[in-house]
Amino acid sequence: MDIDIGITREDRKTITNGLSRLLADSYTLYLMTHNFHWNVKGPMFNTLHLMFETQYNELALAVDGIAERIRALGEPAPGTYAAFAALTRIEEPVGVPDAMSMIRALVKGQEAVVKTARELMPVVDTAGDEPTADLLTQRMQVHEKTAWMLRSLLED
């Protein structure tokens, strides 16, 4: 059954391709953050353990919203590690980095998600897809703020 919501099929496909990349970035960042939550150690253990938990819980909710938007636009949402690995721009560290390296990796991951969302915005604006624009704006706000908070931990 075709979808008649005022956005062309071609625009919906372009938007869902971008949202699939956003979903892959977000899920990859979720996994990395959860991994760091489990494996962080050192003098900042408690602070980072709790901060990472807050961040991965927020990401868990975000990926569901992104996937549901893809479905609402009529396309299947990617949902496998293989699909996410092929779509993400986030590079995961090998092994278990030290706490400061974890923070640096998470800053890069947060910023990568912002870039992915920002790249999609012109297509969404042109298509008049306000719900996706709202989702992208919300995601950029969260990730920019989280990146700032993480960067603050790296300053002297």
Side-chain angles (χ1 to χ4, degrees):
M1 177 178 234
D2 196 32
I3 298 172
D4 185 15
I5 58 173
I7 303 171
T8 68
R9 182 180 189 93
E10 182 179 308
D11 283 345
R12 286 196 325 269
K13 183 67 175 163
T14 301
I15 291 166
T16 57
N17 285 341
L19 286 172
S20 293
R21 288 190 301 278
L22 183 67
L23 179 60
D25 284 353
S26 299
Y27 200 87
T28 301
L29 184 58
Y30 162 81
L31 286 174
M32 186 175 11
T33 306
H34 210 153
N35 175 27
F36 291 170
H37 164 78
W38 290 327
N39 290 299
V40 69
K41 58 186 178 183
M44 293 178 54
F45 168 79
N46 194 53
T47 299
L48 294 177
H49 185 74
L50 294 173
M51 178 185 273
F52 295 164
E53 182 176 14
T54 299
Q55 291 171 6
Y56 77 70
N57 282 328
E58 193 283 329
L59 284 160
L61 295 173
V63 296
D64 194 53
I66 297 165
E68 288 177 355
R69 184 65 191 149
I70 293 168
R71 295 298 298 132
L73 291 171
E75 294 295 327
T80 65
Y81 292 124
F84 292 151
L87 291 167
T88 190
R89 72 184 334 152
I90 295 176
E91 294 182 31
E92 295 179 279
V94 176
V96 179
D98 62 66
M100 289 297 128
S101 296
M102 287 178 178
I103 294 167
R104 281 190 286 280
L106 291 174
V107 167
K108 286 179 72 172
Q110 296 286 340
E111 291 173 343
V113 175
V114 172
K115 288 182 213 171
T116 299
R118 186 162 278 122
E119 288 168 0
L120 184 54
M121 192 62 90
V123 175
V124 168
D125 285 342
T126 300
D129 183 359
E130 289 83 3
T132 300
D134 183 54
L135 178 121
L136 294 174
T137 300
Q138 289 177 38
R139 297 313 314 149
M140 286 187 286
Q141 287 174 337
V142 167
H143 292 288
E144 287 177 358
K145 182 176 181 178
T146 303
W148 158 63
M149 291 179 159
L150 290 164
R151 276 192 307 272
S152 295
L153 294 169
L154 298 170
E155 295 176 6
D156 290 329

